Amino acid sequence: IAVTTGGADAQNGTAGVGVNLLLKTGMNNPAGEGHLFFENQTLQSVNIPAALATALDNTSGLGNRIDRYFDKGFDVGGPIFRDQLWVWGTAAWNTVNRVTLAGDPDDTGLTTYALKFDGVANKNVRGNFTFYHNNKEQDGRGASALRPAETAWNQSGPATYYKGEGRFILGSRFFATTKVAIIHDDFDLAPVGAMAADYHFDAGLVAHG
């Protein structure tokens, strides 16, 4: 994974942060791994000074924190036809339940799948196909000290990515690479208070409705 925050290459189509993600490739020797990560509030500390905690009216005084973090997954790869066709795949499930400054929940669930095939037709032609799917479900998006849970959003919707690539050696001094990609990245934001709620701010600029 490479993340570029500035000074990006002129080939980048858009400005801003750029992410380049290269998935693993299967090999002749089958291999795999798994992971499991966990965290909750008992594994965290609070470093907010007492004076500041007291000044934070209508809050828990504990700041934004993780209520529960749970990440599990695996990946495996190997040959379909030795020295000619390989496959690699992964699946992961991630739960990030956060508590905001005001004590409101902000819960996120991520489900990710990926599959990659690599093949060699001959010494001059090689290609691969990649499928990637990630679904994000977030309840309480936007909740904060000035945005109670009743004014937050519930987010849903997956992102799906397909890419095919071919590499061709056309002599000792010339080669070509072709790529085709399709990306679906739509998501929905539904107001927790429903569309008919009366949205307003009180005198302290705290949102309601």
Side-chain angles (χ1 to χ4, degrees):
I1 299 175
V3 181
T4 303
T5 59
D9 191 280
Q11 296 182 73
N12 285 13
T14 58
V17 175
V19 178
N20 183 34
L21 173 65
L22 182 64
L23 297 178
K24 291 181 180 180
T25 299
M27 52 189 176
N28 281 331
N29 296 323
E33 63 179 356
H35 68 266
L36 181 66
F37 300 101
F38 175 79
E39 180 183 352
N40 60 18
Q41 292 200 48
T42 62
L43 299 174
Q44 299 173 76
S45 62
V46 178
N47 62 354
I48 298 179
L52 177 58
T54 302
L56 294 173
D57 294 333
N58 301 318
T59 72
S60 63
L62 299 177
N64 293 323
R65 60 201 182 280
I66 295 295
D67 180 49
R68 184 173 181 267
Y69 174 81
F70 192 42
D71 180 9
K72 59 184 182 294
F74 67 92
D75 73 276
V76 62
I80 298 177
F81 300 107
R82 192 175 181 87
D83 294 325
Q84 190 170 17
L85 182 62
W86 305 268
V87 64
W88 173 85
T90 185
W93 299 267
N94 191 299
T95 300
V96 185
N97 293 343
R98 190 174 65 91
V99 181
T100 70
L101 186 68
D104 294 321
D106 183 352
D107 299 338
T108 300
L110 301 170
T111 303
T112 305
Y113 306 101
L115 190 65
K116 183 177 180 181
F117 294 91
D118 276 88
V120 177
N122 54 55
K123 66 178 183 179
N124 296 325
V125 180
R126 185 182 185 110
N128 65 67
F129 173 79
T130 301
F131 167 77
Y132 176 88
H133 175 89
N134 174 269
N135 187 39
K136 179 179 180 180
E137 303 282 345
Q138 182 176 5
D139 296 333
R141 173 172 170 161
S144 66
L146 299 178
R147 290 281 306 279
E150 65 184 273
T151 66
W153 301 86
N154 290 335
Q155 177 181 341
S156 62
T160 306
Y161 170 81
Y162 307 85
K163 191 195 78 167
E165 180 178 357
R167 283 168 281 177
F168 309 90
I169 298 176
L170 307 173
S172 60
R173 296 186 178 183
F174 187 74
F175 69 91
T177 300
T178 61
K179 300 178 184 179
V180 176
I182 299 173
I183 301 173
H184 297 285
D185 189 14
D186 300 322
F187 64 89
D188 297 321
L189 292 175
V192 173
M195 294 295 292
D198 182 17
Y199 190 81
H200 63 280
F201 296 88
D202 62 20
L205 297 180
V206 177
H208 298 280

